[in-house]
Amino acid sequence: MNETYYQQVQLPSGTVHVYAGDTLFKELDYKVFEMANNNLQIPNQVYMSYTPDVHVGVGTCIGTTAVWNTKDGYVSPSIVGSDIGCGMRVHLTNLHKDDLKEVKLRRKLVKVIEKYLPVEDHARGYFSDIRLEHVIKKGLHGLPKKYIPDGYTPRKATSLTHVERSKFAFDENALNLFPEQVWHRSHRQLGTLGNGNHFVEIQSIEIAEDQREIAEAWGLLDGQVVVMIHSGSRSWGGSVSQYCGSNITKMMRAEGLGTADPKLLFAPLTHPLAQTYVNLEYSALNYAVVNRHLIAYAVREAGKDVFGSKFEMTTLYDLMHNYAWEEEHEGQSFFIHRKGSTRALPANHPANPEPYMSTGHPALIPGSMGTASYIMVGSPTGRANFYSICHGAGRIRSRSATKKLVTLNEFSSSLKVGTDDEIVVNQRSLESILDESPQAYKDVDQIIESVIGAGLAQVVAKCKPMATVKGAK
DNA sequence: ATGTCC
């Protein structure tokens, strides 16, 4: 049987391009098409698509790529979503999975990570030597030098080239809109994980046979231990969404703009409120990149405590799956929104950072708890979808429904609790994160199969969880 | 996802 991995769905307001295998497609909630129909009513849109992990969100589905031409474009805070700049980071260590064979050692590592990375108090990561204003304005370039250690990339450079973008420039006047309290809270939250689906995970990797050449170029080794981080812009991005969202809502009401969904917000890029939003959105992208960088810094400190000063943790890559920005393709400027959608550029695309120009950059895709994550690379045929792939497994069940359905025993057994292969979790009570059990999510392997089948990307390495650090409310 | 309020 020939499986289809892509189809165009015609709706009254336009076409949504759906990248999903037949099985996943059949299981899609009709509400994702209602949402698409509303989103397609925003004027001048040139392209909209769904990834195989698409699911209903606020105003817009998570798993959406939505594109305008910059010259007559629109920005939608709803298509970006409220966790602006949320994304992934992977660091490579000089440990082999056998070094972490003992459950006791994995427990110790998790405990020490918690010492450097506050997970109970979400606002305890006070870095008094970091000026929040500097990192908000200059991204990673606003950090004191001590946070950019030597040997931080596989090529042992101190460069900040192993990120999607190390600094987002914007009109800084927009920052005057925020009260002191927002600055204070965000300073205290720097370097904290947050909760929900955010995590730090210790994983071991398996290289995909047909991508060994790329894996080698990236410094990946079979059985290598890696650190995967998933976090965003914390309350800074939340404040941006809230502040801009309420102003744009009022403007839309006054000007009679809108769709059937009052939670779907948008404005033409030329509107002053749209410009303020884009400026503040970029400030949140700076915060998010720095936040993940500082979380990695904390894990690195913990690693040195546990394994000694020879412990290394070099940056593979940092990239995001929630944002809107300008992007050039074949000389044309587009304004691209990705919400739960990850850019995966192929080799030689000019937007690749220099170290990844000849291979394409790593695209980092998290699975759900207890399941695999993936390090992928974009394919040239991904152009059809503006080089966008999935963001993870994709939720199929609400947090409350998951808590009703899944038992603690089922959750524990998916984490292999009590066996030698136990995926050690920091939370004393799994009950506090029961809504993150794998039963709340689609099967990530099926999602990845769809992405490959559609010709969007290839797997370079599969990452298997060994220990997970989560925040919880 | 988030902080805040019920």
Side-chain angles (χ1 to χ4, degrees), chain A residues 344-360:
Chain A
L345 297 172
N348 302 316
H349 189 286
N352 275 304
E354 182 276 322
Y356 293 117
M357 190 55 78
S358 64
T359 54

Side-chain angles (χ1 to χ4, degrees), chain A residues 11 64 120 132 149 182 218 247 257 282 285 326 336 361 363 374 379-380 387 412 417 420 442 464:
Chain A
L11 298 166
T64 297
E120 305 263 325
L132 179 62
V182 170
W218 292 354
N247 283 343
L257 273 176
Y282 282 7
L285 299 185
E326 260 181 83
I336 301 191
H361 63 82
Y374 290 87
S379 306
Y387 302 110
S412 305
V417 173
D420 290 345
K442 296 184 196 182
K464 294 185 163 179

Side-chain angles (χ1 to χ4, degrees), chain A residues 425-444:
Chain A
V425 176
N426 66 313
Q427 292 296 329
R428 268 169 220 93
S429 140
L430 282 181
E431 199 168 4
S432 67
I433 51 169
L434 187 56
D435 51 355
E436 281 296 309
S437 72
Q439 292 86 345
Y441 290 89
K442 296 184 196 182
D443 173 3
V444 69

Side-chain angles (χ1 to χ4, degrees), chain A residues 320-376:
Chain A
M320 310 193 262
H321 47 236
N322 290 352
Y323 56 86
W325 66 30
E326 260 181 83
E327 215 166 83
E328 204 169 280
H329 292 279
E330 294 93 35
Q332 198 182 337
S333 176
F334 294 97
F335 195 72
I336 301 191
H337 297 66
R338 292 194 179 91
K339 181 188 200 178
S341 159
T342 308
R343 189 168 78 167
L345 297 172
N348 302 316
H349 189 286
N352 275 304
E354 182 276 322
Y356 293 117
M357 190 55 78
S358 64
T359 54
H361 63 82
L364 313 171
I365 308 299
S368 53
M369 278 188 78
T371 69
S373 294
Y374 290 87
I375 298 173
M376 305 185 77

Side-chain angles (χ1 to χ4, degrees), chain A residues 82 84 178 182 185-186 233-245 280:
Chain A
S82 55
I84 301 168
F178 279 173
V182 170
R185 192 168 54 212
S186 289
S233 54
R234 311 287 285 106
S235 68
W236 183 269
S239 302
V240 171
S241 301
Q242 205 170 22
Y243 173 82
C244 297
L280 291 175

Side-chain angles (χ1 to χ4, degrees), chain A residues 439-470:
Chain A
Q439 292 86 345
Y441 290 89
K442 296 184 196 182
D443 173 3
V444 69
D445 295 347
Q446 228 181 347
I447 303 288
I448 298 296
E449 192 195 304
S450 276
V451 168
I452 298 167
L456 300 177
Q458 295 287 334
V459 171
V460 177
K462 185 173 182 174
C463 315
K464 294 185 163 179
M466 302 180 85
T468 308
V469 178
K470 298 279 286 184

Side-chain angles (χ1 to χ4, degrees), chain A residues 216-454:
Chain A
E216 200 168 300
W218 292 354
L220 304 180
L221 304 167
D222 262 315
Q224 186 172 25
V225 173
V226 304
V227 179
M228 182 175 270
I229 295 164
H230 182 192
S231 189
S233 54
R234 311 287 285 106
S235 68
W236 183 269
S239 302
V240 171
S241 301
Q242 205 170 22
Y243 173 82
C244 297
S246 85
N247 283 343
I248 290 177
T249 303
K250 280 180 215 152
M251 178 277 287
M252 288 175 71
R253 224 173 270 154
E255 299 191 11
L257 273 176
T259 68
D261 183 352
K263 290 194 168 149
L264 177 56
L265 312 182
F266 56 89
L269 279 170
T270 48
H271 196 287
L273 291 180
Q275 288 172 12
T276 301
Y277 175 74
V278 174
N279 283 321
L280 291 175
E281 185 223 335
Y282 282 7
S283 79
L285 299 185
N286 281 335
Y287 189 103
V289 172
V290 168
N291 192 45
R292 283 187 295 274
H293 182 98
L294 291 173
I295 290 167
Y297 189 84
V299 177
R300 186 172 173 269
E301 294 295 295
K304 284 189 183 298
D305 259 21
V306 176
F307 303 104
S309 61
K310 283 188 181 149
F311 176 73
E312 283 175 22
M313 213 178 105
T314 58
T315 316
L316 178 70
Y317 204 50
D318 181 296
L319 91 176
M320 310 193 262
H321 47 236
N322 290 352
Y323 56 86
W325 66 30
E326 260 181 83
E327 215 166 83
E328 204 169 280
H329 292 279
E330 294 93 35
Q332 198 182 337
S333 176
F334 294 97
F335 195 72
I336 301 191
H337 297 66
R338 292 194 179 91
K339 181 188 200 178
S341 159
T342 308
R343 189 168 78 167
L345 297 172
N348 302 316
H349 189 286
N352 275 304
E354 182 276 322
Y356 293 117
M357 190 55 78
S358 64
T359 54
H361 63 82
L364 313 171
I365 308 299
S368 53
M369 278 188 78
T371 69
S373 294
Y374 290 87
I375 298 173
M376 305 185 77
V377 67
S379 306
T381 42
R383 173 64 184 89
N385 196 33
F386 288 84
Y387 302 110
S388 306
I389 66 169
C390 58
H391 77 289
R395 191 165 269 280
I396 36 166
R397 210 159 265 123
S398 71
R399 295 191 180 278
S400 53
T402 306
K403 280 180 174 162
K404 272 181 215 153
L405 180 84
V406 183
T407 67
L408 271 176
N409 273 340
E410 286 167 335
F411 191 16
S412 305
S413 66
S414 32
L415 298 173
K416 303 175 200 155
V417 173
T419 74
D420 290 345
D421 296 329
E422 175 173 343
I423 300 159
V424 172
V425 176
N426 66 313
Q427 292 296 329
R428 268 169 220 93
S429 140
L430 282 181
E431 199 168 4
S432 67
I433 51 169
L434 187 56
D435 51 355
E436 281 296 309
S437 72
Q439 292 86 345
Y441 290 89
K442 296 184 196 182
D443 173 3
V444 69
D445 295 347
Q446 228 181 347
I447 303 288
I448 298 296
E449 192 195 304
S450 276
V451 168
I452 298 167

Side-chain angles (χ1 to χ4, degrees), chain A residues 67-248:
Chain A
V67 182
W68 279 262
N69 286 311
T70 303
K71 61 173 162 43
D72 61 358
Y74 277 67
V75 64
S76 167
S78 310
I79 309 188
V80 174
S82 55
D83 192 4
I84 301 168
C86 183
M88 308 302 303
R89 174 178 271 259
V90 167
H91 282 244
L92 310 179
T93 74
N94 54 348
L95 298 175
H96 185 268
K97 65 177 177 187
D98 292 345
D99 298 327
L100 283 172
K101 214 159 49 187
E102 299 292 324
V103 181
K104 250 164 90 180
L105 186 56
R106 296 201 292 281
R107 279 213 183 97
K108 183 180 172 191
L109 178 59
V110 160
K111 212 168 181 176
V112 179
I113 290 173
E114 280 190 296
K115 194 174 115 188
Y116 290 96
L117 178 69
V119 290
E120 305 263 325
D121 179 355
H122 296 291
R124 208 198 72 202
Y126 200 72
F127 288 90
S128 53
D129 54 346
I130 296 176
R131 288 271 305 274
L132 179 62
E133 197 185 336
H134 287 177
V135 299
I136 287 291
K137 291 178 177 173
K138 297 187 214 157
L140 290 174
H141 302 272
L143 283 173
K145 283 230 161 54
K146 71 173 265 212
Y147 295 106
I148 317 284
D150 286 344
Y152 215 45
T153 71
R155 288 178 190 178
K156 311 288 178 204
T158 54
S159 72
L160 298 172
T161 52
H162 289 56
V163 299
E164 217 165 28
R165 249 181 255 180
S166 57
K167 175 190 170 176
F168 291 85
F170 61 94
D171 180 354
E172 293 166 3
N173 289 315
L175 295 172
N176 299 329
L177 298 163
F178 279 173
E180 182 50 36
Q181 182 206 357
V182 170
W183 287 89
H184 180 72
R185 192 168 54 212
S186 289
H187 192 182
R188 285 189 40 96
Q189 281 184 340
L190 264 180
T192 63
L193 257 186
N195 46 52
N197 60 1
H198 291 168
F199 63 79
V200 167
E201 196 159 85
I202 312 298
Q203 306 164 337
S204 70
I205 61 173
E206 274 172 14
I207 310 286
E209 280 311 322
D210 54 349
Q211 300 298 330
R212 280 206 174 267
E213 215 170 297
I214 289 185
E216 200 168 300
W218 292 354
L220 304 180
L221 304 167
D222 262 315
Q224 186 172 25
V225 173
V226 304
V227 179
M228 182 175 270
I229 295 164
H230 182 192
S231 189
S233 54
R234 311 287 285 106
S235 68
W236 183 269
S239 302
V240 171
S241 301
Q242 205 170 22
Y243 173 82
C244 297
S246 85
N247 283 343
I248 290 177

